[in-house]
Structures are given as structure tokens and as C-alpha cells.
Amino acid sequence: MTLTSEDLYLNRARFVMKYLGVWVPHPNETFAHKCYRIFMMTVQYLFLFFQIIYIVQVWGDLGAVSQASYLLFTQACLCLKITVFQINVDVVKDLLERMNSDIFKPQNEDHERILKWHAARIKRLLLAFMISSQTTCGLWALKPLFDDAGSRNFPFDMWMPVRPEYSPQYELGYLFQLVTICISAYMYFGVDSVALSMVIFGCAQIDIIKDKILSIKTFEDKGQISKKRAKYLETNYNKLIECVKQHQGVVTFTRLVEDAYHTFLLFQLIVSVGLICMSGLRILVVDWRSMQFASIVTYISVMISQLFVSCWCGHELTATSDELHTVLYKCAWYDQDMKFKRALVFVMMRMSKPMVLRAGHYVTLSRQTFVTILRTSYSYFAVLNQTLKD
């Protein structure tokens, strides 16, 4: 395979995050690049700080708080993600080295096909997320031009150190909000792509292990001398041991991924409940013909799709690894020597436990978790909606 696993799975995320200055720094990082990274992260923190000030100013007004809170939660989640990524940069380097290690390299065209198929799946989902998030940013930018035509309002309700009544303060404030939110969307895409693509890479390696196990066949030519048969049995035994080592590598790899990203995954699950709830409240009070209504609808779809992709990746890891012990039984174990059969018993016991991806080392990411979060969001939405009516 001409491309490394890192290039195959993370080329888009690496390009975006390098351009934004938040990718894994080079060992000989220049002072200018370090200043650029600090500047890009500071802009995101400032955006969050301005939103917190506005929330404090309008506290007590449920309508104003719900209008601004979904953006506050989104930005807070991004700042946490990018901070966790920077703190765990050494772990990320280790994961990148493991992705390109010899134990995970494809050995034939079938293995390359498995890697490319899994990479294409996760890339399609993440690309759709990026396009929809940038579409939402575009609708936010157009809101003042259509919904507030003739007025000088900023795209977002947040405190700003400039006054919209004066030029060029209004233009600079408008540009700051628009550029920052677009950068935020790309950073979201980059960090999520790294974490989730690594999980799917683990799924691809499990499928490669299955392919190796099923390649263990019977010795068909019974007329051959025992010496050749003994060599064939030894090859099958070595192949089983190789699968065990690769499986242990995948277990360690996915555990490192969870250790690196479990904090923001848990925060994202919790925040998603508030985001979906608050966005639903805004839909009820906004004119359906307005640009703001369209932006909120697309925003909800983006948040739900982001939540779904995270839970889907966790589900894929569990479902793929859960089939391993069954695949072991499907190989031609009955035609192997006693050494192989004894090893196979222990391997089946070890591989009978499926791998899981947990947010906060506690909440298992799965389809059931996705449905539970949607139900919880609707429950809070119904309670708050009834409160507003009363």
C-alpha cells in the first residue's frame, strides 16, 4: 500500500488542523508557528468568554438565555476538545506511531481493501458533518442581512467590545464572529476526525484479524509426507499467534484512544442534551420563514449527526470485536495439531469479551446511548416548553 494508515485515515484532519495551527507540533517547531497556535486557540477562548459575559448579562430571561446558550455550549465543547488534544499531544504521537507500526501493516491486497473500505466509510460521514456545519455557519452569517434587514445586528447574540452603531466597528465585529465560528467548525471536524477515525481504524484491524483466522485451512493433500504436513501445521500455529499479537495491539490502541479522548466525549454527550433541548425551544418561537429558523434546523441536524457518528463508531467497535470468537470457531481448528487447539481455547476465552469505547470511562458509546440521549433531550424540552407556556 502506497499510503500509510495515518495518511489513509487522517489526511483531511491533519491538513485542516495543520492549517489552523493545532496539529501535533513538529519536534523542531518554530517560534512563529508556536505563536500562531497560541493565537488561534486564544481567539476561540475569547469567543467563549464573550458569550459567558452575555449570558451573565441576560440571566433570568429564559428566552434570551436559550437563544445564546446553544452557541455557548457548542463553543465550550470545542474549547475543551482542542485543549484535551493539546494536553494529550504525546499520546496522539504514540497513537500515530502505532498506526504505522509493522503489526498493523497490510500483508496482501485483501487487507488493503479492508483498510480502504473502513476509511472511506468514516470519511464520508465526517465530510457530510463538515459540509453541514459550514452550511449552518453560512446561514448564521446571512441572518442579519435577511431577518434584520436595515439594522446593524451581529450574527450572534453575545457581548462584543465594539459598538454596531459605528463603522468600521460593526464590520470588524461582524467579521470576527463569522471567521471565528467557521474556524470553530473546522476545528470540530479536525478533532472529531482524529478520535473517531482511530476507532474505525481499530475496527479495520479486527476485520483483518478475522481474515487471517479464516485463512487457516485444512491440509488438503492427504497423500503428502508427514514432514510437509508438520510444516503446514506450524505455519497455521504461527498465524494464530500473529493474530493474538495483533489483537493485543488493537486492544492497547483502542484503550489509548479512550484514555486520550474520554473527557471531551463525556462532555459532548452531556452538552448534547442541552443543545438539542435549547435549540428545540428556539424553533417553537422563531418564524418558520426566517433565516434564523433555517439555521437552527440545520444546527440541530449537525449536532445530532455529530452525536450519531460518535455513538456509531463505538457501536462498530463493539459489534466488530464481538464476532471474533465466532470467527475463531469457523477456522479449520479440527484439522490442526494439539498445540494449536490448546492455544485456540485460551484465545477464544480472551477474545470472547468485546471491546467498548466509553465516554468518561463510564458511558458506553453505542446506538442505545444515542437513542437514550435523544429521549432525555426530548424530556427536558417538554418540561421547559410547559414552563414557558405557564
Side-chain angles (χ1 to χ4, degrees), residues 69-140:
S69 60
Y70 68 89
L71 184 62
L72 171 69
F73 290 150
T74 305
Q75 190 65 21
C77 190
L78 170 67
C79 290
L80 177 63
K81 285 186 176 187
I82 203 67
T83 302
V84 168
F85 185 87
Q86 294 299 319
I87 292 175
N88 293 320
V89 67
D90 291 334
V91 180
V92 176
K93 288 180 181 178
D94 185 22
L95 288 168
L96 295 176
E97 292 176 359
R98 289 174 183 271
M99 288 183 72
N100 299 322
S101 62
D102 292 337
I103 195 172
F104 289 152
K105 285 184 178 178
Q107 298 177 356
N108 53 51
E109 292 183 357
D110 288 337
H111 297 174
E112 292 182 7
R113 177 183 53 79
I114 292 172
L115 286 171
K116 290 178 180 178
W117 182 73
H118 280 279
R121 284 204 305 168
I122 188 61
K123 280 186 173 181
R124 281 195 298 266
L125 290 173
L126 292 170
L127 179 62
F129 168 73
M130 184 181 68
I131 293 174
S132 59
S133 62
Q134 291 300 322
T135 300
T136 304
C137 292
L139 293 174
W140 277 335

Side-chain angles (χ1 to χ4, degrees), residues 232-269:
Y232 185 82
L233 295 177
E234 184 67 22
T235 300
N236 286 342
Y237 176 78
N238 291 334
K239 190 177 294 184
L240 178 65
I241 299 303
E242 180 186 343
C243 291
V244 172
K245 292 179 179 179
Q246 188 171 354
H247 178 263
Q248 287 299 110
V250 176
V251 171
T252 303
F253 181 84
T254 53
R255 187 181 297 120
L256 284 174
V257 172
E258 181 181 314
D259 290 341
Y261 304 118
H262 73 95
T263 306
F264 75 66
L265 287 173
L266 178 62
F267 187 75
Q268 178 176 305
L269 294 184

Side-chain angles (χ1 to χ4, degrees), residues 303-317:
M303 290 297 102
I304 292 178
S305 64
Q306 181 190 36
L307 177 64
F308 172 77
V309 173
S310 299
C311 293
W312 175 80
C313 288
H315 175 84
E316 284 295 299
L317 179 64

Side-chain angles (χ1 to χ4, degrees), residues 269-336:
L269 294 184
I270 297 173
V271 166
S272 295
V273 176
L275 290 175
I276 297 172
C277 177
M278 292 299 180
S279 300
L281 288 176
R282 293 305 305 167
I283 287 180
L284 295 180
V285 299
V286 172
D287 184 2
W288 66 272
R289 294 164 295 185
S290 64
M291 189 65 66
Q292 185 179 7
F293 180 87
S295 65
I296 295 175
V297 170
T298 56
Y299 174 80
I300 291 180
S301 65
V302 169
M303 290 297 102
I304 292 178
S305 64
Q306 181 190 36
L307 177 64
F308 172 77
V309 173
S310 299
C311 293
W312 175 80
C313 288
H315 175 84
E316 284 295 299
L317 179 64
T318 302
T320 306
S321 60
D322 191 39
E323 300 170 352
L324 266 175
H325 66 287
T326 305
V327 173
L328 282 167
Y329 188 76
K330 291 181 179 178
C331 74
W333 59 268
Y334 47 84
D335 198 39
Q336 310 303 315

Side-chain angles (χ1 to χ4, degrees), residues 175-200:
L175 184 64
F176 168 78
Q177 289 193 2
L178 179 59
V179 173
T180 304
I181 199 63
C182 289
I183 292 175
S184 299
Y186 278 117
M187 284 187 177
Y188 247 115
F189 165 78
V191 178
D192 283 354
S193 293
V194 173
L196 301 180
S197 295
M198 286 182 173
V199 175
I200 297 302

Side-chain angles (χ1 to χ4, degrees), residues 11 37 44 56 86 118 130 224 248 342:
N11 58 337
R37 183 176 76 251
Q44 298 300 321
V56 172
Q86 294 299 319
H118 280 279
M130 184 181 68
Q224 292 293 329
Q248 287 299 110
R342 281 197 300 264

